[in-house]
């Protein structure tokens, strides 16, 4: 490795590599990575990711503006700390319950965490493939649950990433729908249907969309986001099992 490459690696290491170098807390600046992450999460939950700046973070922590930089070197560092902290809420069942049940629980919990912290959608897009320590713990448990499968490690990882991709995509769509409803002052799916009713009626009466009209007229309206997520997840897991067979 060249001197330039070595220097780049040393200065560009992840926040997790530098965690052991955490500076001693000052009596005037009693900070820690956990406190910084929790405060940033509070800001993001109340004002969105746009509400998380180093200045606002320092104000909320009650420290000088530059104090957090003793612990993090960039916003990406901060976002990794935040995403790691919220993954502490995930608790997968025992591998003995079977790989499908473990992955089903994983997907459900990731969806719930994302709905509780919708700014996660933006972080996933900004930091694709991010792997924090707590995320690594969850991945280890999920992969360990697949030890009974007669497939190679690449396939096991592909199974996990497939379930993750479906979960992130479905949760992101649900977050976007909720944000749209908030912007337009809609409180329920009934409000959404009422708002779009004139347009849907026009589509139905045109005769150009018989299959769509069948759904609009005869649909049960019970196919909400939770139902769609569970149905889609079952299709993903069943498809994986069928492919392995």
């Amino acid at each position: 490795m060249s001197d330039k490459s070595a220097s780049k690696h040393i200065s560009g290491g992840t926040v997790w590599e530098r965690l052991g170098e955490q500076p001693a807390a000052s009596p005037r600046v009693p900070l820690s990575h956990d406190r910084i992450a929790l405060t940033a999460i509070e800001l993001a939950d109340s004002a969105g990711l746009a509400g998380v700046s180093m200045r606002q973070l320092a104000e909320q922590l009650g420290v000088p503006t530059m104090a957090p930089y003793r612990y993090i070197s960039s916003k990406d560092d901060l976002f990794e700390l935040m995403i790691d902290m919220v993954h502490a809420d995930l608790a997968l069942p025992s591998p003995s319950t079977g790989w499908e049940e473990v992955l089903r629980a994983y997907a459900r919990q990731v969806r719930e965490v994302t709905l509780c912290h919708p700014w996660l959608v933006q972080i996933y897009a900004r930091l694709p493939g991010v792997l924090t320590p707590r995320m690594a713990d969850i991945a280890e448990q999920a992969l360990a649950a697949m030890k009974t499968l007669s497939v190679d490690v690449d396939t096991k990882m592909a199974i996990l990433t497939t379930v993750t991709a479906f979960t992130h995509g479905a949760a992101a769509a649900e977050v976007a729908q909720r944000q749209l409803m908030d912007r337009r002052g809609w409180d329920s799916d009934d409000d959404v249907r009422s708002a779009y009713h004139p347009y849907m009626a026009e589509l139905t009466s045109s005769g150009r969309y018989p299959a769509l009209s069948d759904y609009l007229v005869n649909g049960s309206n019970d196919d909400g986001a939770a139902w769609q997520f569970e149905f889609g997840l079952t299709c993903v897991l069943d498809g994986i099992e069928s492919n392995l067979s």
Side-chain angles (χ1 to χ4, degrees):
M1 180 182 293
S2 68
D3 291 342
K4 182 177 180 180
S5 297
S7 175
K8 182 177 181 180
H9 173 74
I10 292 170
S11 64
T14 69
V15 65
W16 311 110
E17 294 174 87
R18 301 192 302 274
L19 207 57
E21 304 167 7
Q22 177 168 309
S26 164
R28 293 179 301 163
V29 188
L31 293 182
S32 69
H33 286 96
D34 284 353
R35 186 179 171 212
I36 289 172
L38 287 170
T39 302
I41 288 170
E42 291 175 0
L43 283 171
D45 285 345
S46 62
L49 210 58
V52 181
S53 69
M54 290 301 191
R55 179 185 60 79
Q56 290 162 320
L57 181 62
E59 286 182 4
Q60 194 73 11
L61 288 165
V63 298
T65 302
M66 298 304 294
Y69 284 104
R70 300 176 66 233
Y71 297 79
I72 53 178
S73 62
S74 67
K75 260 198 170 181
D76 283 353
D77 280 359
L78 178 61
F79 292 160
E80 287 202 38
L81 291 174
M82 293 166 67
I83 200 173
D84 186 68
M85 184 63 70
V86 298
H87 273 76
D89 296 332
L90 273 64
L92 301 188
S94 167
S96 63
T97 61
W99 67 272
E100 289 177 282
E101 287 308 307
V102 170
L103 289 181
R104 189 181 298 277
Y106 161 76
R108 287 171 173 169
Q109 291 180 43
V110 169
R111 171 180 175 264
E112 286 301 320
V113 166
T114 305
L115 295 180
C116 287
H117 306 289
W119 43 266
L120 280 170
V121 172
Q122 294 171 264
I123 293 185
Y124 289 140
R126 176 171 173 146
L127 301 174
V130 63
L131 185 65
T132 72
R134 287 188 172 103
M135 293 176 77
D137 288 341
I138 294 297
E140 174 66 22
Q141 294 173 55
L143 292 169
M146 292 184 246
K147 65 181 180 181
T148 57
L149 295 178
S150 300
V151 296
D152 57 39
V153 292
D154 291 334
T155 301
K156 291 177 182 177
M157 181 56 75
I159 291 171
L160 177 57
T161 55
T162 297
V163 174
T164 301
F166 164 76
T167 304
H168 284 181
E174 195 169 350
V175 165
Q177 177 70 3
R178 290 186 177 190
Q179 291 173 339
L180 172 66
M181 292 172 66
D182 286 343
R183 289 197 304 272
R184 300 194 177 181
W186 298 336
D187 297 322
S188 67
D189 289 341
D190 286 339
D191 289 344
V192 177
R193 283 188 283 271
S194 295
Y196 283 107
H197 182 267
Y199 178 57
M200 295 297 103
E202 181 180 337
L203 291 180
T204 301
S205 62
S206 72
R208 295 167 55 193
Y209 309 99
L212 179 59
S213 296
D214 183 37
Y215 167 74
L216 294 174
V217 173
N218 299 314
S220 66
N221 292 330
D222 291 331
D223 56 341
W227 181 90
Q228 291 183 26
F229 180 83
E230 290 294 332
F231 178 78
L233 178 58
T234 295
C235 288
V236 170
L237 294 174
D238 286 353
I240 290 171
E241 183 179 31
S242 176
N243 186 68
L244 294 179
S245 300

